[in-house]
Amino acid sequence: MKNIKGVRIRCKNTGQHMNIDYTEAANIIRNCKSAYILIHQSPDGDCIGAGTALYHILKYLGKKAKVVCPDEIPERYGFMRKGYIDEDFEPDFIISTDVADANLLGALKEEYGNQVGLCIDHHISNTGYAEKTLLRPDASATCELIYELMEILEVPLTDDITRCIYTGIATDTGCFKYENTTARCHEIVANLKRCCNICYARINRDMFDVKSRGRMKIERFVSDIMEYYLNDQCTMICVTSDILDEMNVDSSELEGLAGIPLQVEGVEVGVTIKQKDEDSYKISMRSANDVNVSEICASLGGGGHVKAAGCLLHGTLDEVKKKIVDAVEEGIKKCSATA
Amino acid sequence: MKNIKGVRIRCKNTGQHMNIDYTEAANIIRNCKSAYILIHQSPDGDCIGAGTALYHILKYLGKKAKVVCPDEIPERYGFMRKGYIDEDFEPDFIISTDVADANLLGALKEEYGNQVGLCIDHHISNTGYAEKTLLRPDASATCELIYELMEILEVPLTDDITRCIYTGIATDTGCFKYENTTARCHEIVANLKRCCNICYARINRDMFDVKSRGRMKIERFVSDIMEYYLNDQCTMICVTSDILDEMNVDSSELEGLAGIPLQVEGVEVGVTIKQKDEDSYKISMRSANDVNVSEICASLGGGGHVKAAGCLLHGTLDEVKKKIVDAVEEGIKKCSATA
């Protein structure tokens, strides 16, 4: 999907923004003639699913539509493009789906960053860069919002739309595994399954089970170098520059590594250390249950969420490890005291 | 849970059996005074969940109830026993949940095998050993059946029941990942989540993400010894007696190994070979997509399902491997020809 230069846009962002509800968002969609649908850089299942499902909705409603992404759509998500026909036109309206911040538009930011008329998103961190925003932080995925809009707009479910919405919800909830998996999202999937008989299990397999040989190698390696601290309540993997060189893998293969130290039975805090420079290290910390890693990382100068946080530490690797273990020990103690 | 000897049972199995519907099963439950609920050996999330949920239902209806299992309940399922009080009594009725065959009652078979008045099950392979059977092979889990019965019996959902039913459905569907995950099972989970605010994500983590250090070691090892055939469309792991001795792990840690060769991108058939004797090998075969491994295994003297089958082969390891690769090549060719 190429970025089309020099289009005229009907809605210019005035610098003010407004949160709107489903009905108003549906009205905006009903009233536009043609639209570009922007999705974020490093596109994932939810933004591709939401953008492409919205494309099908607009087409059903007789409008021109085009999904525009600053990056290539990875091959593994290619199945969601079934039924999508890319065409060039000048849009009268710009919509973004699943884009929390104009900076996530990457190369598209300069041209469209302040021209988004409607943003549809579920990230609580949404910066309000669009003129109007349909924001539902309680939703598991932006695809959930697209589904609700579709019901209001009385657009019938097709296999193409179902494939997109299902994939978005499944990928953003870790196949219904994470805390953000709501009753509503199970209800939506029940409706999808009642209406359309696509191969859901195949999507799940491709999204969650299949790994490249490179990724398998990394996971094996990571398990090999895993270190155990604090009576095995804290696990740590440390990816130094030397190790990266030695493994000779693409850096994209390193995503999601932070979850691996948490897989070990009995572990409360999993830590991933990635070397940035000679003496600086990026730390990702994950909590399995009740230990507050946001507080632990704050005590180390960082921050984040209760169950997933991070910080940047300087020093020798041994110094960095000691700082982390001391802080985690403190955090575990605090958690036990309040339990 | 101990097996209580010498009980008097109201319903003796006459040797005839009958398939019944939900209403009749609910009536039987309504009319019994006290019951033992038998679950199968090597108990899993679904039989423990179904049995324990039924216990709570019987207790709510004012009856005596006891879950009886031929084996110890593994510690990881202990959380489902919350609210369960074990008491000794002589039951007037015997129910089994999720037990497809009287042989799966293990040590309980001799005493109760022909005394089961009501079997509640979802396995298509159910042998009809009980006097009356509520059998729903279209259900994802026996826990789904228990949920339906609960609605008919107008028993309110509690946290204890929800924990059991959720765990049964989640474990039997691989956290909603497998083909058996129906629209109805998503609907049921939506209802559970609307009614009871238990920590679903914690259950998912404990059931699906957490591994023992021993298990991690095995998975690492298995990845290390994985062999690739037929342009990487066939992966094979081969666990010989020597390897087992070398790893020094509990054989229970080997469960589910057959899924690992399928995790590699592009693989169509994953094969696991386990040595039984000097010159005999047990083969498990899994299909990722459309290759029919039931046919492949049949051609090797075995059988099974389209996506999961097995056989027993004799010869040297090299001979066995060659037989398998040749048969898999044939199966892949056949699949490509019909695609």
Side-chain angles (χ1 to χ4, degrees):
Chain A
M1 278 175 293
K2 287 169 299 177
N3 174 4
I4 305 296
K5 295 273 174 192
V7 296
R8 260 168 298 126
I9 313 289
R10 203 189 51 186
C11 282
K12 285 255 178 192
N13 197 328
T14 57
Q16 298 196 310
H17 85 278
M18 193 194 287
N19 282 321
I20 58 170
D21 63 10
Y22 282 113
T23 314
E24 194 173 344
N27 279 336
I28 291 174
I29 291 169
R30 218 180 259 122
N31 292 329
C32 80
K33 286 203 187 68
S34 66
Y36 277 5
I37 303 158
L38 313 185
I39 62 177
H40 60 71
Q41 62 190 11
S42 306
D44 60 14
D46 193 27
C47 79
I48 300 169
T52 314
L54 184 56
Y55 159 88
H56 290 297
I57 291 169
L58 288 167
K59 295 301 281 185
Y60 178 85
L61 295 172
K63 298 156 197 316
K64 285 192 169 182
K66 183 185 179 75
V67 180
V68 189
C69 180
D71 297 326
E72 282 286 312
I73 303 292
E75 210 185 304
R76 64 193 296 259
Y77 296 120
F79 70 95
M80 278 195 275
R81 309 280 283 170
K82 216 174 158 188
Y84 176 86
I85 298 163
D86 202 50
E87 57 177 329
D88 288 347
F89 61 90
E90 292 197 4
D92 73 333
F93 196 61
I94 303 281
I95 305 174
S96 69
T97 56
D98 202 46
V99 182
D101 186 322
N103 287 321
L104 297 173
L105 291 172
L108 301 175
K109 188 195 168 191
E110 199 187 327
E111 185 156 11
Y112 302 120
N114 65 349
Q115 298 195 319
V116 179
L118 171 63
C119 165
I120 303 170
D121 188 25
H122 76 124
H123 294 97
I124 198 162
S125 57
N126 190 291
T127 60
Y129 62 90
E131 192 185 1
K132 293 185 175 174
T133 306
L134 170 62
L135 181 65
R136 288 287 160 131
D138 55 322
S140 62
T142 297
C143 277
E144 223 183 287
L145 280 62
I146 302 290
Y147 178 89
E148 309 289 8
L149 287 170
M150 214 184 64
E151 288 211 327
I152 295 171
L153 291 163
E154 295 179 338
V155 176
L157 268 179
T158 61
D159 285 1
D160 289 341
I161 294 179
T162 297
R163 205 174 284 120
C164 291
I165 291 179
Y166 179 80
T167 306
I169 292 177
T171 51
D172 258 28
T173 59
C175 210
F176 314 99
K177 204 192 278 175
Y178 307 149
E179 235 156 315
N180 66 346
T181 315
T182 58
R184 180 61 184 152
C185 106
H186 279 289
E187 264 167 17
I188 291 172
V189 171
N191 290 345
L192 297 179
K193 291 195 169 186
R194 290 229 184 273
C195 293
C196 294
N197 188 27
I198 62 167
C199 192
Y200 300 94
R202 172 75 190 259
I203 295 175
N204 297 337
R205 193 182 115 68
D206 288 346
M207 294 295 109
F208 302 106
D209 287 346
V210 170
K211 299 169 187 174
S212 70
R213 283 179 77 165
R215 175 72 191 193
M216 288 201 104
K217 188 175 146 193
I218 290 168
E219 290 192 3
R220 218 155 68 219
F221 193 83
V222 159
S223 300
D224 281 336
I225 60 169
M226 187 127 62
E227 298 167 27
Y228 293 78
Y229 296 95
L230 305 170
N231 292 323
D232 300 353
Q233 288 181 96
C234 174
T235 41
M236 202 181 278
I237 56 178
C238 183
V239 185
T240 59
S241 311
D242 291 349
I243 284 176
L244 268 184
D245 289 347
E246 189 190 319
M247 287 199 294
N248 188 29
V249 287
D250 192 280
S251 72
S252 72
E253 306 263 22
L254 292 176
E255 266 175 57
L257 274 193
I260 296 178
L262 267 201
Q263 287 176 357
V264 188
E265 205 171 11
V267 167
E268 292 295 337
V269 177
V271 181
T272 309
I273 304 178
K274 280 186 204 160
Q275 184 164 23
K276 303 298 286 178
D277 301 306
E278 179 66 34
D279 66 345
S280 75
Y281 296 86
K282 194 169 166 286
I283 316 300
S284 300
M285 214 175 273
R286 297 284 182 277
S287 167
N289 302 302
D290 302 318
V291 176
N292 186 335
V293 291
S294 166
E295 277 182 20
I296 297 176
C297 287
S299 78
L300 295 167
H305 303 280
V306 175
K307 294 209 164 194
C311 58
L312 192 71
L313 292 178
H314 303 277
T316 67
L317 185 54
D318 282 343
E319 284 165 2
V320 164
K321 282 184 187 175
K322 188 170 173 349
K323 276 184 206 168
I324 294 170
V325 173
D326 288 350
V328 170
E329 186 170 22
E330 208 51 48
I332 290 177
K333 261 188 210 157
K334 205 167 161 186
C335 176
S336 311
T338 56
Chain B
M1 277 178 292
K2 285 169 299 176
N3 174 5
I4 304 296
K5 296 272 175 192
V7 295
R8 260 168 298 126
I9 312 290
R10 203 188 49 183
C11 282
K12 284 254 179 190
N13 197 328
T14 58
Q16 299 194 311
H17 87 277
M18 192 195 286
N19 282 319
I20 57 169
D21 64 8
Y22 281 113
T23 314
E24 193 173 343
N27 279 336
I28 292 174
I29 290 169
R30 218 179 258 122
N31 291 329
C32 80
K33 286 204 186 67
S34 66
Y36 277 6
I37 303 158
L38 312 185
I39 62 177
H40 60 70
Q41 62 191 10
S42 306
D44 60 14
D46 193 28
C47 79
I48 300 169
T52 314
L54 183 57
Y55 159 87
H56 289 297
I57 291 168
L58 288 168
K59 294 301 280 186
Y60 177 85
L61 296 171
K63 298 155 199 314
K64 285 191 168 181
K66 181 184 181 76
V67 180
V68 189
C69 181
D71 297 326
E72 282 287 312
I73 302 291
E75 209 185 304
R76 64 193 295 259
Y77 296 120
F79 69 96
M80 278 194 274
R81 311 280 282 168
K82 215 173 158 189
Y84 176 86
I85 298 162
D86 201 49
E87 56 176 332
D88 289 346
F89 62 90
E90 293 195 5
D92 73 335
F93 195 61
I94 304 280
I95 305 174
S96 69
T97 57
D98 201 47
V99 183
D101 185 321
N103 287 320
L104 298 173
L105 291 172
L108 302 174
K109 187 194 169 192
E110 200 187 328
E111 185 157 13
Y112 301 120
N114 64 349
Q115 297 195 319
V116 178
L118 171 63
C119 165
I120 303 170
D121 189 24
H122 75 124
H123 295 96
I124 197 161
S125 57
N126 191 290
T127 60
Y129 63 90
E131 192 185 1
K132 294 185 176 174
T133 306
L134 171 62
L135 182 65
R136 289 287 161 132
D138 55 321
S140 63
T142 297
C143 277
E144 223 183 287
L145 280 63
I146 302 290
Y147 178 88
E148 309 290 6
L149 286 171
M150 214 184 66
E151 288 211 329
I152 296 171
L153 291 163
E154 296 180 336
V155 175
L157 269 178
T158 60
D159 285 0
D160 289 341
I161 294 179
T162 297
R163 205 175 285 120
C164 291
I165 291 180
Y166 179 81
T167 305
I169 293 177
T171 51
D172 258 27
T173 58
C175 210
F176 313 99
K177 204 191 278 174
Y178 307 149
E179 236 155 315
N180 66 346
T181 315
T182 58
R184 181 61 185 150
C185 107
H186 279 289
E187 264 167 18
I188 291 173
V189 170
N191 289 346
L192 297 179
K193 290 195 169 185
R194 290 229 184 273
C195 292
C196 294
N197 189 27
I198 62 166
C199 192
Y200 301 94
R202 172 74 190 259
I203 294 175
N204 297 337
R205 193 181 116 70
D206 288 346
M207 294 296 109
F208 303 106
D209 288 345
V210 170
K211 299 168 188 176
S212 70
R213 284 180 77 164
R215 175 73 191 192
M216 288 200 105
K217 187 175 147 194
I218 290 167
E219 290 193 2
R220 218 155 67 220
F221 193 84
V222 159
S223 302
D224 282 336
I225 61 170
M226 187 128 60
E227 298 166 27
Y228 293 79
Y229 296 95
L230 305 170
N231 293 322
D232 299 355
Q233 288 181 96
C234 174
T235 41
M236 204 181 278
I237 55 177
C238 182
V239 185
T240 59
S241 310
D242 291 350
I243 284 176
L244 268 183
D245 288 348
E246 188 191 319
M247 286 199 295
N248 188 28
V249 287
D250 192 278
S251 72
S252 72
E253 306 263 22
L254 292 176
E255 266 177 58
L257 274 193
I260 296 178
L262 267 200
Q263 287 177 356
V264 188
E265 205 171 11
V267 167
E268 292 295 336
V269 177
V271 181
T272 309
I273 303 178
K274 279 186 204 160
Q275 183 164 24
K276 302 299 286 178
D277 300 307
E278 179 66 34
D279 66 346
S280 76
Y281 297 87
K282 195 170 164 282
I283 316 301
S284 299
M285 214 176 271
R286 296 285 182 276
S287 167
N289 301 303
D290 303 318
V291 177
N292 185 334
V293 292
S294 166
E295 277 182 21
I296 297 175
C297 287
S299 79
L300 296 167
H305 304 280
V306 175
K307 295 210 163 192
C311 59
L312 192 71
L313 292 178
H314 303 279
T316 67
L317 185 53
D318 282 344
E319 285 163 2
V320 164
K321 282 184 185 174
K322 185 168 177 350
K323 277 183 206 168
I324 294 171
V325 173
D326 287 349
V328 169
E329 185 170 22
E330 209 50 48
I332 291 177
K333 262 188 208 157
K334 205 167 160 184
C335 176
S336 312
T338 56

